[in-house]
Amino acid sequence: MSEVLDDKPEVLVQKLDALPTDPGVYKFLDDEESVLYVGKAKNLRNRVRTYFQQSRQRDGRIEVMVQKAVDVDIIVTDTEAEALILENNQIKELQPRYNVNLRDDKTYPYICIKNERFPRVFKTRTVKQDGSEYFGPYADVSKMNAMMDAIRSVFQLRTCSLDLAEEKIEAGKYDVCLQHHIDNCKAPCVGKQSEANYMETIEQVKKLLNGQTQELMDLLKDEMQRQSDAHNFEEAARLRDQVKALKDYSQQQKVVSQDFADRDVFALHVERDEDIGCGVLFQVREGKMIGKRHKFLRSVEERSDAELILSLVENYYAEANFYPEEVLLSHDPNDHPAQDTHALEELLRQEQGHQVPIKVPQRGEKASLVRMATSNAKLQVGEWKTQQMKRERNRIPESIKALGEALNMEAPPRRVDGIDVSHHGGKETVASCVVFTDATPRKSDYRTYKIRSTEEGTPDDYKAMREVVRRRYRRMVEEDGPWPDLVVIDGGKGQLSSAVEMLKEVGAFDRFPVIGLAKRLEEVYRPGDSDPVFLAKDSPALQLLQKVRDEAHRFAVTYQRKRRKKKTLQSELLDIHGIGPKTAKTLLGEFGSAAKVKEADEEALAEVVGPAKAETITDYYDETEAPAPAETE
C-alpha cells in the first residue's frame, strides 16, 4: 500500500492509519474539498484501505477517483444497515461524480400512504411533499415486500387508482372489480365500505408500519371475540387469519419507521486529561441526514459537560439560518446549577413560531441517533490526538536539523544522550547521563551512577567512562532500547575512545553515532577521525551540544556534591567519642544535619539516642566552642 500512497498528502496517510473498524460511510475528497465518491462499509478500516492496495484490481472510474483523492472523511454508524441508508442519502444530497452509475441502483424504497380519499398503500422510490405519509427507507427490499404482503393479506385495501370522490361513488360511476370478488378489497368504490371504516383500517396499517404489531393483534383478537360471540363465525375466522398473519410477520422481522421530522442532533465527547473535547452536529432534514459538522473545544478542564453542550448549541443557533422541529442532545444542559436554557428555548420558539422540544433521549431510535453522533465525536477526538502526536513528532527544532547536517547524519538526532564523569580530587567518583528529546531535557530519563571501578583518591576518567558506558548500554541492549539517535561524551579523544571500546564490547556501537565534545576549543571528535570538527561558535548545532554537555556536567556535579556532603556530615558526628556509624545515621535521620544536631538541647538528643550519648554530644560541642585562651606577649 505504501507505493500507492507515495504521492498522497500526509493527512490522508495519517487518516488511513487511524481509521476505526466500525461500520459507516466514507467520502473521498479532492484538492478543492469536493466530494468525489461516497461509499459504505461494514468495517471502515478494511474497506477504505483496499482502495490504496497495489495489488487490487479496479475499474477505470475508481482508478481515476483514487488518483484524485487527497483526503477522506467518515461517519461511523451503529449498524451496517444505517450505513446503507446514510450512504444513499449522502449520494442523493452530494451527487458525487464517481457515484453516478450507482444512483438508480441505490435508491431505497419507501411505503407510502397516499394523501387522498380512501388512501392507497404502495411501494415507491419517489418521495413527494404532497401530504402523503412515508415509512422507510427500507435497505432490505425483501423485508419491505414482506411488510406489503402482510398489509395486503390482513387489511383488504384498495389497489386501484380511481378517484373515489363522494359524488362519483354516489353517482354509481364505478363497478366492482376482481379484487373484491376474491376478497382482497371491500369495494369502497361502490359504497360497500364506508370512509370511516376504511380510515380505521388505515390507522391499523400505521400501527403495523410503526412496529406496534402486538397492539394491533390485541385489537384484532378483541374484535374476533366479539364477532364470535355474535355468531358471525365467518368474520371471526377472517380475523383469526389476520392475527395469524401478523404473528408470523412479527416473528420474522422488525421494521424501523421514519417520521420525516427535521432534527438537529448534538453530541459531546470530552477528554479532560488531554484538555480537548469535540462537539458533533448531525443535521437531519425530512428524516435524512444531510450533513455532519464538528467543532473542537479547548480549555475544557474546568467546564462541565452541561456547560459545554449548551455553549456548543447556543453558538450554532446564534448564526444559523434554519431551525428544526426538535433538538436532541447527548448531555442535559440543566445538570449544572448555573445553566439556564431559557434563552435558547426562546430563540428557537421565535424562529419556529412554536416551542421546539429539547430532549436528551435515553432509549429508542432517537437515543440510537445520539449514540451514533457521540461515537463520531469520540472518533474526532481520537483523530485529533493522533494528528497532534504526529505533528509533535514531526516538529523538529532548527538546532536538531543543524546538528544532523553538521555531523552528516542520515536523520536528525531527536533523542540525544549526554554523559559526564565527576569526582573531587579522585574521591567520590560519579557519572551522569542526561537525555534530550527535540532539544528539550527529558528529566524523567536522567540517570546517575556511583563509579565502583576506580581507586579512592586516584582519578581515572577513562576507567570511569568505560564503567558508565558499559552499565548504561548493556542494559539498553538487554531491553532493546529506548535507543538514542546520538551520544555526546564530555571529553576529547581519550574519553571518546573509552566509550567506543565499551560500546563495541556490549554490542551497541552500530546502533547510533557517538561523539566527544572537548571543552578547551569545543572540538567535536568522531570515532576513526584523527582531526576534530570545528563548528561555528554561533552555530545552533554547537549551542545544542554545549547545552547537552553542560547539563550532563551539572547533573553529575550535583550528585557528586550531594554524596560528599552526606559523607562529610556523617564524618563530623563520627569524630565524637562513643558515637558510631549507626548512631550518626539515626541522628542525621532525625535532625537532618550535623548543624541541627549541634543546635539541639540535651533533652531532645536524649529522646533519640538516650541520656548518656546525649550528654556526650553536648559535652563535645561545648568543648569545641569554648573560647581559646588569650595570647600573652
Side-chain angles (χ1 to χ4, degrees):
M1 187 172 74
S2 58
E3 295 179 9
V4 181
L5 291 173
D6 285 345
D7 61 343
K8 294 297 183 184
E10 183 66 19
V11 64
L12 177 58
V13 178
Q14 293 172 358
K15 284 188 175 182
L16 292 176
D17 289 338
L19 285 170
T21 57
D22 304 291
V25 170
Y26 55 91
K27 295 182 287 188
F28 286 115
L29 311 176
D30 63 15
D31 54 5
E32 296 180 352
E33 298 187 359
S34 297
V35 178
L36 296 170
Y37 182 83
V38 176
K40 66 181 182 301
K42 182 178 181 180
N43 182 314
L44 282 167
R45 180 177 178 83
N46 292 348
R47 181 70 183 95
V48 175
R49 288 169 65 89
T50 59
Y51 287 90
F52 301 94
Q53 291 176 352
Q54 184 70 45
S55 59
R56 183 172 176 82
Q57 297 295 319
R58 296 182 290 266
D59 61 45
R61 174 178 57 88
I62 296 298
E63 185 69 39
V64 173
M65 184 277 294
V66 171
Q67 292 174 3
K68 291 184 177 181
V70 298
D71 198 0
V72 63
D73 189 22
I74 66 172
I75 300 176
V76 297
T77 60
D78 285 339
T79 65
E80 189 178 4
E82 287 178 349
L84 288 171
I85 296 171
L86 179 56
E87 176 202 31
N88 180 63
N89 291 337
Q90 292 276 290
I91 290 172
K92 288 190 289 187
E93 176 68 23
L94 300 170
Q95 298 185 1
R97 177 178 179 182
Y98 294 94
N99 283 98
V100 64
N101 293 332
L102 303 177
R103 289 178 189 163
D104 292 339
D105 294 338
K106 290 183 177 288
T107 300
Y108 296 109
Y110 295 82
I111 292 177
C112 173
I113 299 179
K114 187 67 174 175
N115 180 26
E116 60 188 356
R117 196 162 185 258
F118 298 99
R120 289 168 291 158
V121 179
F122 56 89
K123 298 179 291 185
T124 182
R125 293 179 184 268
T126 304
V127 177
K128 298 179 180 179
Q129 301 303 314
D130 57 0
S132 300
E133 293 186 68
Y134 294 87
F135 296 82
Y138 294 95
D140 189 334
V141 176
S142 63
K143 291 183 178 180
M144 185 201 65
N145 289 335
M147 170 70 81
M148 288 301 302
D149 289 342
I151 291 172
R152 279 192 290 266
S153 65
V154 171
F155 299 111
Q156 297 175 291
L157 300 174
R158 75 175 181 121
T159 57
C160 64
S161 58
L162 299 176
D163 179 10
L164 299 187
E166 185 176 0
E167 61 273 14
K168 292 183 179 180
I169 295 175
E170 291 177 352
K173 186 174 181 179
Y174 307 115
D175 294 322
V176 294
C177 65
L178 177 63
Q179 294 298 318
H180 173 68
H181 292 299
I182 62 176
D183 290 330
N184 283 343
C185 176
K186 293 183 178 181
C189 58
V190 296
K192 290 184 177 292
Q193 183 180 25
S194 69
E195 183 178 4
N197 180 264
Y198 192 97
M199 293 309 296
E200 287 178 5
T201 305
I202 289 296
E203 289 304 314
Q204 293 178 345
V205 171
K206 290 180 182 179
K207 289 182 183 296
L208 178 59
L209 291 172
N210 282 314
Q212 298 172 295
T213 312
Q214 187 59 49
E215 180 180 348
L216 179 56
M217 284 194 294
D218 292 341
L219 290 173
L220 292 175
K221 286 178 182 178
D222 291 341
E223 180 62 20
M224 180 180 67
Q225 187 62 47
R226 283 195 296 270
Q227 294 295 336
S228 178
D229 293 342
H231 302 287
N232 295 326
F233 300 116
E234 186 175 343
E235 180 64 17
R238 190 183 66 80
L239 291 169
R240 179 200 62 201
D241 293 341
Q242 289 182 344
V243 171
K244 183 179 183 301
L246 285 174
K247 186 177 181 180
D248 292 342
Y249 171 78
S250 64
Q251 289 176 345
Q252 66 178 325
Q253 60 179 237
K254 178 183 178 182
V255 175
V256 177
S257 66
Q258 180 123 355
D259 59 8
F260 280 75
D262 293 333
R263 291 189 179 96
D264 283 342
V265 183
F266 292 87
L268 181 72
H269 178 77
V270 179
E271 296 189 9
R272 288 181 171 80
D273 55 340
E274 300 282 349
D275 193 26
I276 183 66
C278 182
V280 164
L281 164 64
F282 281 176
Q283 296 168 304
V284 181
R285 303 292 180 259
E286 298 177 358
K288 298 179 292 185
M289 185 186 298
I290 65 168
K292 180 194 79 167
R293 297 185 181 184
H294 71 270
K295 185 175 183 180
F296 288 112
L297 308 172
R298 302 306 308 271
S299 302
V300 299
E301 291 178 293
E302 304 299 325
R303 302 176 68 188
S304 67
D305 290 342
E307 183 181 0
L308 291 170
I309 195 76
L310 183 59
S311 174
L312 182 72
V313 177
E314 287 181 336
N315 179 265
Y316 173 73
Y317 287 120
E319 301 177 353
N321 54 17
F322 181 89
Y323 300 87
E325 300 168 14
E326 186 176 52
V327 176
L328 305 181
L329 306 179
S330 62
H331 297 78
D332 190 347
N334 296 306
D335 281 348
H336 194 282
Q339 296 298 114
D340 182 3
T341 59
H342 177 73
L344 174 62
E345 292 169 351
E346 184 63 19
L347 171 65
L348 294 173
R349 187 191 65 78
Q350 290 176 358
E351 295 296 337
Q352 267 287 36
H354 58 78
Q355 193 72 28
V356 175
I358 301 175
K359 301 178 180 179
V360 185
Q362 301 300 316
R363 60 184 65 86
E365 294 175 25
K366 296 178 183 179
S368 177
L369 189 58
V370 170
R371 286 195 299 271
M372 187 169 74
T374 303
S375 296
N376 278 271
K378 185 177 181 179
L379 174 69
Q380 291 289 346
V381 170
E383 185 175 299
W384 179 89
K385 288 166 62 177
T386 300
Q387 298 295 333
Q388 283 292 107
M389 291 172 59
K390 292 186 176 181
R391 278 195 291 268
E392 288 297 326
R393 289 199 294 267
N394 293 330
R395 190 180 294 125
I396 304 176
E398 289 299 322
S399 58
I400 294 289
K401 295 178 182 178
L403 181 58
E405 293 173 358
L407 300 178
N408 295 319
M409 298 178 65
E410 293 183 1
R414 306 190 68 172
R415 183 181 174 98
V416 179
D417 284 4
I419 297 178
D420 187 31
V421 171
S422 178
H423 57 79
H424 183 69
K427 298 180 180 180
E428 292 297 326
T429 302
V430 298
S432 71
C433 180
V434 299
V435 178
F436 279 58
T437 56
D438 285 342
T440 302
R442 188 181 179 89
K443 295 192 176 183
S444 60
D445 288 347
Y446 282 19
R447 296 292 183 269
T448 53
Y449 301 85
K450 179 183 176 182
I451 300 302
R452 310 184 187 98
S453 58
T454 59
E455 296 180 10
E456 190 72 11
T458 305
D460 192 336
D461 287 353
Y462 299 158
K463 183 179 288 187
M465 183 62 70
R466 284 195 290 270
E467 179 180 337
V468 63
V469 170
R470 182 181 67 253
R471 288 168 61 183
R472 177 167 180 79
Y473 296 104
R474 180 176 59 193
R475 182 170 183 176
M476 200 169 287
V477 168
E478 292 171 352
E479 299 179 356
D480 195 22
W483 298 103
D485 299 317
L486 176 68
V487 174
V488 179
I489 302 297
D490 183 8
K493 286 184 178 181
Q495 285 88 346
L496 178 61
S497 297
S498 299
V500 169
E501 178 185 338
M502 287 299 102
L503 290 174
K504 290 180 178 179
E505 181 179 303
V506 300
F509 179 67
D510 294 329
R511 294 276 190 167
F512 46 77
V514 56
I515 62 172
L517 182 62
K519 291 185 177 69
R520 189 170 64 87
L521 297 176
E522 304 289 31
E523 309 104 321
V524 176
Y525 287 93
R526 294 186 291 189
D529 291 349
S530 56
D531 298 324
V533 175
F534 291 94
L535 303 178
K537 291 183 178 180
D538 59 351
S539 164
L542 179 59
Q543 292 172 356
L544 176 58
L545 289 177
Q546 291 171 330
K547 184 178 179 181
V548 173
R549 189 266 315 279
D550 294 345
E551 178 67 358
H553 181 71
R554 179 199 66 78
F555 197 53
V557 169
T558 299
Y559 178 55
Q560 193 267 334
R561 287 175 178 171
K562 182 179 179 180
R563 288 186 53 80
R564 195 169 74 246
K565 180 179 180 182
K566 182 178 179 181
K567 187 173 182 180
T568 300
L569 290 174
Q570 192 169 358
S571 297
E572 183 178 339
L573 293 175
L574 293 175
D575 290 339
I576 303 174
H577 181 70
I579 301 300
K582 185 176 181 180
T583 303
K585 184 176 181 180
T586 301
L587 288 166
L588 288 174
E590 180 67 27
F591 295 99
S593 68
K596 295 287 182 63
V597 174
K598 182 178 179 180
E599 294 172 358
D601 57 33
E602 188 171 336
E603 183 178 350
L605 292 170
E607 292 180 0
V608 178
V609 296
K613 289 183 179 180
E615 183 179 359
T616 299
I617 294 169
T618 54
D619 288 346
Y620 172 81
Y621 284 120
D622 287 344
E623 291 175 4
T624 56
E625 288 191 349
E631 294 184 4
T632 58
E633 297 185 6

